[in-house]
Amino acid sequence: MRLTGSEHSSFTDYEALLPQAAARIGASPEQLASFIGPLLWSRSLSVQREVLAAFFGLHLRGHRAPVLDGPTAHYPEPVFRKNPRSGTIRL
């Protein structure tokens, strides 16, 4: 899974820490966006929490959530990849 507007480092602590430290380390908004993406860190974390909660809810409790079926009106950012061999969706 990836989020539209995110980069690889978006899924680390950098996402919350770098925006706070950007001015102190002299990073421009463009440099920051190239490292963590233009998606606001607070939105990215909110989407990550929702998708992870839905994933564990499905696999531990058997509760299905619409966010696991693909982008929704409230969560348009998730992009899921399908396994080319099995056709299953990879989170």
Side-chain angles (χ1 to χ4, degrees):
M1 180 190 92
R2 72 173 186 82
L3 300 179
T4 302
S6 68
E7 294 294 334
H8 181 74
S9 294
S10 295
F11 297 93
T12 68
D13 291 339
Y14 288 140
E15 185 166 57
L17 299 174
L18 283 180
Q20 298 173 57
R24 294 187 100 172
I25 62 174
S28 70
E30 294 79 20
Q31 289 171 317
L32 190 59
S34 72
F35 197 67
I36 61 172
L39 184 62
L40 288 176
W41 68 270
S42 55
R43 177 62 181 172
S44 179
L45 290 177
S46 174
V47 175
Q48 289 176 49
R49 286 183 188 128
E50 183 69 22
V51 171
L52 284 170
F55 177 83
F56 286 112
L58 173 65
H59 292 284
L60 298 177
R61 296 183 176 159
H63 299 293
R64 201 116 186 105
V67 73
L68 294 179
D69 295 328
T72 65
H74 192 65
Y75 293 105
E77 298 91 350
V79 176
F80 300 99
R81 295 182 355 184
K82 284 191 177 184
N83 183 320
R85 290 187 203 138
S86 68
T88 58
I89 292 177
R90 295 173 52 188
L91 298 179

